Amino acid sequence: FHTVTFGLTNQCNANCDFCIVECNSGNKIELEETVIIRAVEELSNIRNIGTIAFTGGEAFLNYEKLKRLVQAVNRVGKCSAVYTNGFWCTDLDITKNRLRELKQMGLTRVLTSIDFEHQKFISVENIRRLLDTCRELDITISVHCVTRRSTLKKHGIF
């Protein structure tokens, strides 16, 4: 394996029916920052691990903590990645400023989802701003799409 991912919290601003880790807005559990930083420092000695990623719930719900963790990963010479649903990309300036700041701290990859379930909570325009800004700032971005057969049938696709 080459990537280790930390679930920072089970809190999420979306309440997707298919969430396999049952993250939602009512949850408040967070992994302690000191524990994560200690683990990141220990992972620095494992050569095969090239990327340390952060997810949630929604990792951007505690942006200040996320910044400190990206910096910690950068300090140990690993690449950092973050999974986000893009809820915070409501404004182009905010999106650019946050991603530019994170890139300067060492962020190399963003992962997001666009599908029927997430778009109940997150505007497609937010995802467009996220994609366009990552492209402009030369940050690698991966887009995932998750669905169920029943959802596809409901939308006349299957």
Side-chain angles (χ1 to χ4, degrees):
F1 55 91
H2 301 356
T3 302
V4 173
T5 302
F6 290 95
L8 302 182
T9 180
N10 67 349
Q11 184 178 16
C12 187
N13 56 306
N15 292 299
C16 302
D17 289 339
F18 65 53
C19 185
I20 61 171
V21 289
E22 299 177 346
C23 296
N24 61 58
S25 58
N27 292 337
K28 303 287 187 214
I29 297 172
E30 285 194 36
L31 191 55
E32 288 185 39
E33 186 173 339
T34 56
V35 171
I36 300 168
I37 289 175
R38 187 172 43 229
V40 165
E41 290 168 351
E42 290 177 15
L43 291 167
S44 70
N45 298 319
I46 302 174
R47 219 173 320 176
N48 288 352
I49 296 173
T51 301
I52 299 175
F54 303 107
T55 188
E58 173 52 51
F60 275 81
L61 286 173
N62 189 338
Y63 181 62
E64 294 303 315
K65 178 180 181 178
L66 178 62
K67 288 191 313 187
R68 291 188 298 272
L69 294 172
V70 168
Q71 288 173 319
V73 171
N74 190 42
R75 278 194 304 272
V76 300
K78 303 290 183 184
C79 296
S80 60
V82 63
Y83 292 80
T84 183
N85 64 24
F87 81 94
W88 53 275
C89 300
T90 56
D91 175 86
L92 187 57
D93 288 336
I94 290 170
T95 306
K96 285 183 178 184
N97 289 339
R98 284 191 171 183
L99 288 174
R100 187 178 295 113
E101 182 176 39
L102 287 170
K103 181 177 180 175
Q104 290 170 348
M105 294 175 177
L107 183 73
T108 58
R109 184 180 194 106
V110 173
L111 302 98
T112 193
S113 296
I114 185 166
D115 47 59
F116 291 116
E117 197 63 35
H118 283 101
Q119 273 37 84
K120 290 178 188 175
F121 307 98
I122 310 300
S123 166
V124 172
E125 290 306 311
N126 286 26
I127 303 303
R128 188 180 326 276
R129 278 186 283 278
L130 179 63
L131 294 170
D132 290 345
T133 302
C134 283
R135 188 176 323 119
E136 180 182 322
L137 297 176
D138 197 30
I139 298 171
T140 300
I141 185 159
S142 297
V143 180
H144 300 167
C145 181
V146 179
T147 194
R148 298 177 288 197
R149 183 182 301 224
S150 60
T151 304
L152 292 175
K153 284 182 181 179
K154 180 175 146 184
H155 290 275
I157 297 171
F158 191 82

